[in-house]
Amino acid sequence: MRVINQHYINGRFVDSCGTEILDIVNPTNRTTIGRVTLGDERDARDAIDAAKKALKTWSKTSLDERKRYLQKLHDAIQSREAKHIEIRTEEYGGVSRHSKFSISGAAKVFLNMKKTLDEIAFHKAVGQADVTLKPVGVAGLITPWNSAIFMVCNKVAPALAAGCTVVIKPSELSALQIQLLVECFDAAGLPPGVINLVHGRGEVVGNELTLNPDIDKISFTGSTTVGKSIMRNAAETIKRVTLELGGKSAHIILDDADIDKAVAFTLTTGFMNNGQACIAGSRILVPEHKLEAVKDALLKAVPTWKVGDPTKDDTLLGPLVTEKQYNRVQAYIHKGIEEGAEILIGGKGQPKGLEAGNFVQPTIFVNVRNDMTIAREEIFGPVLSVITYKTEEDAIRIANDSIYGLQAWISCGDPERGRKIADRIEAGVVMVNQVFDMFDEAGAPAGGFKQSGIGREFGTYGLSSYLEPQAIFPKRA
Ligand code: NAD
């Protein structure tokens, strides 16, 4: 039984003022493997004070100094990669393929940000002014559980690179993974107070960050519902906000696509991270006259997605993070049936032999209309909806008929045709025929249109969101 009862404040592990204890449960077998003591407002305020004090000197560090620390942070995470993957599997149920991708991505963002620092002009003359990009101040970073380590790193890297100090409020469902990450932060040897982290609930610690006047910026990744409440709180002191929120991404299969390849792509993008991915292609748009062929291909392909113990190398789908999440996904499967969609494969309950954990049968609905609940709301599990369309225009209309606009996927024979359609899709990122690695595309932005968010992460787009331009007139002679 592992016990976490400390936060990381001002360069030290300190006992929690908050006393609520939360069990840490292995989602594969629902056994309790640890306990975390959740912090309260006092812990949050201590962390904010430390970050505010550290800002004075950190904001004045040279870019070279920041680059050295970014390298150290990368090295600290990379050198513990195997341990990170092991804990992610145990606490979250992440399968090895996705865990490797997610953890190596978490380390890489520090190296990418090191490069990005050379791509942005921190000082330049504009007209009669000298314009300088200054750190926005103390950043509150609030993150979800579905790629816990990566989400934190993808915010810490640009914040520190910009000269901001941070207070992190990770998901309360990822305490073991985060504990190892904090040990990496500690090993990197940054000045005290530059990185602070408080375990705790969103309504308590998260709420304090979003209201506290000493927090200058909030970067949040999570659900759209919570994103809205964060924006309301942040408005009180005009905090800058970056919001990376939910999605209900369309995957348009065009009529010239190779069906087997398109179906393989459908499952890769729909079932990634056990179906718990904000960018999952969960609405599969299929030309009406190709429906039967797509159904046949899905019936062949879905059973190849082995569900089970995430510690096994050949497992492709692990359990959902919690029993609550399992029940939520089951409720959506019920709702789909109730609203008249038809189950092609999968369905209610756990797969046979996996009753001890939060396992969901990979499920494909057909006969789905875009106005059904399962096509409108984010399910966050391996449950996909097939929706037919008549014409290309129709496909674009359906894809854009969503409150979300995070990501879209296109399968096609002619990539140029795919790109033209991509141009008309209301989504922050569109990928044609392939999952591109955003960590290798160091500078390309990610983020949402519409209710999928505000602002962008990665590269200069991400870094700029932690910077504030100041113009001084007249410019130096
Ligand atoms: P969530 O919104 O419930 O929680 C996210 C974080 O916010 C957690 O740390 C939580 O404790 C905190 N929080 C909750 N209430 C709060 C409040 N009132 N004030 C401040 N903080 C609060 O989301 P989740 O269930 O952890 O994660 C799943 C969601 O995250 C999905 O909707 C998914 O689409 C989204 N997500 C988006 C992206 C993206 O890049 N757009 C990436 C991953 C996940």
Side-chain angles (χ1 to χ4, degrees):
M1 182 76 57
R2 274 148 294 174
V3 176
I4 297 168
N5 50 17
Q6 293 186 316
H7 312 296
Y8 187 69
I9 299 175
N10 208 22
R12 290 188 308 122
F13 289 91
V14 296
D15 290 345
S16 183
C17 297
T19 53
E20 184 189 348
I21 290 174
L22 188 71
D23 283 343
I24 302 169
V25 178
N26 179 331
T28 301
N29 51 28
R30 293 180 179 157
T31 55
T32 300
I33 51 174
R35 294 213 174 88
V36 55
T37 305
L38 301 178
D40 64 17
E41 291 85 352
R42 290 167 295 174
D43 299 295
R45 283 183 212 130
D46 288 348
I48 295 167
D49 286 347
K52 196 177 172 192
K53 284 197 192 92
L55 182 69
K56 288 194 187 103
T57 43
W58 182 255
S59 61
K60 302 282 184 284
T61 47
S62 68
L63 295 189
D64 280 342
E65 198 172 339
R66 287 180 218 162
K67 282 184 197 168
R68 277 198 294 280
Y69 281 116
L70 291 170
Q71 181 71 51
K72 285 185 182 176
L73 286 160
H74 164 271
D75 297 348
I77 295 166
Q78 193 59 49
S79 66
R80 292 163 181 81
E81 185 183 40
K83 191 73 189 157
H84 276 295
I85 292 173
E86 184 190 317
I87 295 181
R88 187 175 191 270
T89 304
E90 189 184 8
E91 184 182 46
Y92 170 69
V95 297
S96 61
R97 187 158 78 164
H98 194 272
S99 293
K100 275 186 198 132
F101 172 72
S102 182
I103 300 298
S104 74
K108 247 191 246 173
V109 293
F110 290 100
L111 290 190
N112 289 347
M113 214 23 85
K114 204 177 141 193
K115 273 193 252 151
T116 303
L117 277 175
D118 292 328
E119 292 165 14
I120 211 162
F122 278 80
H123 304 280
K124 66 176 173 185
V126 179
Q128 298 204 49
D130 279 320
V131 176
T132 304
L133 300 180
K134 299 200 154 170
V136 76
V138 177
L141 312 179
I142 304 177
T143 53
W145 41 261
N146 64 333
S147 260
I149 301 300
F150 169 73
M151 296 294 168
V152 170
C153 293
N154 203 30
K155 295 183 188 306
V156 169
L160 299 194
C164 296
T165 55
V166 302
V167 179
I168 306 161
K169 203 307 279 175
S171 169
E172 55 276 33
L173 301 177
S174 49
L176 292 180
Q177 297 162 80
I178 293 296
Q179 185 63 18
L180 180 59
L181 180 65
V182 179
E183 286 166 22
C184 297
F185 290 160
D186 192 54
L190 280 94
V194 173
I195 299 182
N196 306 276
L197 183 140
V198 179
H199 295 282
R201 291 205 182 272
E203 316 83 83
V204 181
V205 176
N207 196 54
E208 178 64 30
L209 294 187
T210 61
L211 286 173
N212 194 299
D214 287 331
I215 293 280
D216 303 286
K217 177 191 168 85
I218 292 285
S219 180
F220 168 75
T221 298
S223 61
T224 295
T225 309
V226 173
K228 288 177 187 177
S229 77
I230 284 180
M231 205 169 164
R232 277 192 289 272
N233 280 359
E236 206 49 51
T237 47
I238 313 288
K239 295 188 200 317
R240 282 72 186 126
V241 289
T242 297
L243 303 176
E244 295 288 337
L245 308 176
K248 190 73 195 176
S249 302
H251 177 173
I252 305 180
I253 300 179
L254 291 175
D255 57 8
D256 65 346
D258 175 295
I259 299 284
D260 288 331
K261 277 193 199 153
V263 161
F265 191 41
T266 297
L267 301 187
T268 304
T269 63
F271 292 164
M272 62 168 69
N273 201 10
N274 302 346
Q276 300 170 130
C278 52
I279 59 171
S282 53
R283 290 183 298 144
I284 321 305
L285 310 193
V286 174
E288 218 169 53
H289 66 285
K290 297 274 180 173
L291 178 63
E292 291 311 315
V294 169
K295 278 164 66 172
D296 287 348
L298 282 166
L299 285 171
K300 266 195 247 140
V302 172
T304 65
W305 276 71
K306 189 171 171 225
V307 189
D309 182 349
T311 60
K312 302 250 162 68
D313 278 346
D314 60 346
T315 300
L316 294 180
L317 273 171
L320 299 190
V321 64
T322 54
E323 199 165 343
K324 186 173 164 205
Q325 186 66 14
Y326 168 83
N327 288 330
R328 189 170 170 268
V329 171
Q330 293 299 318
Y332 275 113
I333 297 177
H334 279 275
K335 189 80 182 162
I337 298 167
E338 204 178 279
E339 291 188 354
E342 183 194 320
I343 288 180
L344 177 71
I345 188 166
K348 291 186 268 185
Q350 287 136 316
K352 271 211 173 62
L354 293 171
E355 292 78 6
N358 307 325
F359 295 94
V360 170
Q361 299 185 56
T363 298
I364 311 279
F365 277 105
V366 290
N367 286 346
V368 180
R369 288 189 325 269
N370 202 44
D371 63 354
M372 289 179 178
T373 308
I374 53 169
R376 303 217 70 78
E377 296 182 10
E378 188 177 43
I379 297 176
F380 233 54
V383 179
L384 312 181
S385 296
V386 173
I387 302 170
T388 55
Y389 68 84
K390 288 187 197 320
T391 62
E392 215 174 270
E393 282 307 308
D394 199 23
I396 295 167
R397 181 189 57 74
I398 298 169
N400 288 337
D401 178 14
S402 169
I403 60 164
Y404 297 112
L406 190 61
Q407 177 104 7
W409 308 91
I410 296 177
S411 285
C412 54
D414 171 10
E416 200 39 47
R417 183 175 168 214
R419 288 181 49 86
K420 281 195 185 127
I421 290 178
D423 189 46
R424 298 180 58 199
I425 300 297
E426 295 159 0
V429 176
V430 186
M431 292 191 183
V432 179
N433 282 340
Q434 200 187 321
V435 181
F436 289 84
D437 183 349
M438 295 294 288
F439 314 135
D440 281 338
E441 298 297 314
F449 284 20
K450 303 192 274 187
Q451 292 190 34
S452 285
I454 293 181
R456 293 293 181 269
E457 293 193 307
F458 294 104
T460 53
Y461 301 89
L463 179 58
S464 303
S465 75
Y466 292 89
L467 292 165
E468 195 94 89
Q470 182 186 44
I472 298 182
F473 291 81
K475 69 180 172 212
R476 276 208 181 86

